[in-house]
Amino acid sequence: MRLAGLIIAAFTGTVLLYSTVDFPAWGDPASPAGTHVSPHYLERGLEETSVPNIVTAVLADYRSFDTMFEATVIFAAGAVCVILLRIFGVHTRDRYYRHLLTGVTIHVIGDRKIPEDSEVFERIDALWVPHDVIISTISRILIPFIQLFALYVLAHGHHSPGGGFQGGVILGASVILMAISTNLRVSLERVGERTVALLAALGLLIYAGTGVLCMLSGGNYLDYGALAEWLPVDPVAARSLGILLVEIGVGVTVSATMIAIYRNLASSGRMDEGL
Amino acid sequence: MQDLLQLIAARYNYWLYIVLMMVGFYAMIAKNNLVKKIAGMSIFQTAIILFYISIGYKKDATIPILMHAPDGAHHAVHAADYVNPLPHVLMLTAIVVSVSTLGVALALAVKVYQSYGTLEEDEIRERMREENASQE
């Protein structure tokens, strides 16, 4: 298998290398990729959408159908992770508790437990390592700023590198950091499983709903210019606002999906203890 | 020899992405461990992303965010001054989709590990054969 793999990879690589002779040279401004539709985006994008970041304009306006189904793919991936891994109701693991005053660890066999709000005992993971004070403190200080930065990246995507996908991933990462620096239960208390599932669907609803809103205003699906009827702005500025709306939808879906994928993988679907 | 070197220097981005892609391709074919196969798939996807970004590059061009005056007035835009935004858009979504496919692949690997107790391909095949034999 090893030799066969090497031969196949070497053969495919050689064929691909041979084909590079016909490819445009590195940094060629007249390459086919940069000639047909891309100059139009660059030269007319600002006046057509009033968004200086052309990547955002192309992503959420010119190619908004594409982006909607990309968001759908992400939602589907998150749903598949939940369907494959999530186990409801079956309790198969023993629980471990730590006595806070003495540090003694208690192993509780079977489906018995000490109340979660107990002030004397603290639930710990089976593979528990003592909390590092530095890590948990720094994470606690950093998480609000990470979330604020995520919102900035999302909302400022029109004028700087950023947008819904990036902001959503950063927002999801902040909740994942919460789970890594303390434990999964703390992050589940803050952002519940049901909330995550609802948010993932809500993001797509915002995206698709924006398209329907455009239709109700008399335009085509996802033709944000029609939103000017509802908003006190001209059609070009309405495009920029429509882009912001769908970016928010994408951000919500992406962040919720990242959290769901992480939680299901880390706890193999049991949602009680993980990394 | 001189010609070959010139050829490589003019198109070294393709050479780099092909080498990286073949590393991932080889890992997907030849590695025995499922997680290593998934890592190979990730490298493969990264190579494709690098390929797309590199064909969008233009010499002496800047990022495709138009510079504009604070009062809203803007000057004529020359497409040659900004790199091609289209590959950036396509890869922006591809990165997130590749993370999602990675998530699904790892979820499947977790399920495989739960049913067979191993992630090595040959051991999984052996267990499947044993199960079939015990059923007959």
Side-chain angles (χ1 to χ4, degrees):
Chain A
M1 204 59 200
R2 215 157 266 242
L3 188 68
L6 202 62
I7 292 167
I8 293 170
F11 176 72
T12 319
T14 317
V15 170
L16 283 172
L17 283 178
Y18 179 71
S19 74
T20 59
V21 180
D22 299 329
F23 273 61
W26 166 239
D28 181 11
S31 70
T35 45
H36 297 283
V37 75
S38 114
H40 175 90
Y41 291 152
L42 283 166
E43 281 160 12
R44 312 264 306 151
L46 188 57
E47 37 191 297
E48 282 178 1
T49 63
S50 73
V51 175
N53 184 351
I54 302 300
V55 175
T56 303
V58 176
L59 178 84
D61 195 338
Y62 295 106
R63 295 182 65 89
S64 50
F65 259 116
D66 180 27
T67 309
M68 185 170 87
F69 287 104
E70 296 280 3
T72 314
V73 166
I74 292 157
F75 175 77
V80 164
C81 270
V82 173
I83 291 166
L84 274 177
L85 290 173
R86 187 78 178 94
I87 304 163
F88 290 101
V90 186
H91 186 79
T92 48
R93 284 190 200 177
D94 295 349
R95 291 188 174 89
Y96 292 83
Y97 292 90
R98 194 170 72 99
H99 190 235
L100 288 173
L101 294 173
T102 58
V104 174
T105 307
I106 300 174
H107 179 186
V108 181
I109 299 168
D111 199 10
R112 280 163 290 185
K113 59 179 168 185
I114 298 169
E116 293 288 333
D117 54 350
S118 164
E119 284 176 11
V120 192
F121 289 100
E122 178 196 38
R123 172 100 191 265
I124 58 172
D125 291 357
L127 293 167
W128 185 71
V129 281
H131 292 316
D132 192 324
V133 178
I134 296 172
I135 289 176
S136 56
T137 311
I138 296 287
S139 305
R140 214 169 70 192
I141 295 169
L142 270 181
I143 284 168
F145 290 103
I146 294 175
Q147 288 172 340
L148 208 59
F149 180 65
L151 294 182
Y152 161 76
V153 167
L154 203 163
H156 210 254
H158 289 48
H159 297 271
S160 66
F165 286 96
Q166 300 92 319
V169 169
I170 298 171
L171 197 62
S174 74
V175 179
I176 292 173
L177 176 65
M178 201 191 293
I180 292 173
S181 63
T182 54
N183 56 49
L184 200 61
R185 291 179 298 280
V186 171
S187 85
L188 274 169
E189 262 169 42
R190 297 291 165 95
V191 190
E193 212 191 334
R194 200 177 291 262
T195 320
V196 167
L198 280 176
L199 281 179
L202 178 74
L204 274 186
L205 193 70
I206 292 173
Y207 205 130
T210 309
V212 173
L213 204 63
C214 297
M215 283 175 89
L216 290 179
S217 332
N220 287 320
Y221 191 70
L222 289 171
D223 177 13
Y224 314 124
L227 290 175
E229 207 170 301
W230 308 66
L231 300 163
V233 287
D234 57 291
V236 175
R239 290 198 157 269
S240 155
L241 289 171
I243 290 173
L244 182 65
L245 268 181
V246 300
E247 291 270 21
I248 290 170
V250 168
V252 169
T253 299
V254 169
S255 61
T257 309
M258 289 301 135
I259 297 167
I261 289 178
Y262 168 77
R263 279 178 178 170
N264 278 293
L265 281 177
S267 66
S268 347
R270 289 193 178 84
M271 293 281 172
D272 53 352
E273 50 191 59
L275 284 175
Chain B
M1 193 64 202
Q2 197 69 32
D3 293 349
L4 187 71
L5 279 179
Q6 263 175 0
L7 199 69
I8 294 172
R11 293 174 171 79
Y12 70 96
N13 53 327
Y14 303 120
W15 288 71
L16 283 178
Y17 105 79
I18 288 168
V19 168
L20 200 58
M21 190 157 99
M22 285 309 117
V23 169
F25 193 47
Y26 172 75
M28 279 165 76
I29 296 172
K31 287 291 169 191
N32 202 24
N33 189 302
L34 288 183
V35 173
K36 285 181 184 166
K37 275 182 194 283
I38 294 169
M41 185 183 79
S42 230
I43 295 170
F44 195 100
Q45 284 169 335
T46 311
I48 305 262
I49 289 168
L50 281 177
F51 167 63
Y52 266 78
I53 295 297
S54 75
I55 57 172
Y57 180 73
K58 293 171 191 163
K59 235 183 178 78
D60 300 325
T62 182
I63 54 171
I65 297 174
L66 306 182
M67 288 168 282
H68 56 135
D71 56 356
H74 46 83
H75 40 84
V77 178
H78 302 292
D81 295 340
Y82 298 95
V83 300
N84 188 355
L86 204 52
H88 290 241
V89 172
L90 298 175
M91 289 309 106
L92 177 62
T93 50
I95 289 167
V96 184
V97 170
S98 80
V99 169
S100 308
T101 51
L102 190 67
V104 173
L106 287 173
L108 285 169
V110 167
K111 284 313 261 189
V112 168
Y113 187 78
Q114 279 172 356
S115 16
Y116 294 104
T118 176
L119 283 174
E120 302 293 327
E121 214 180 30
D122 50 351
E123 290 174 26
I124 292 169
R125 213 172 287 139
E126 207 168 286
R127 292 220 180 143
M128 288 167 93
R129 220 171 282 136
E130 279 167 20
E131 274 177 22
N132 286 343
S134 65
Q135 274 169 6
E136 285 160 11

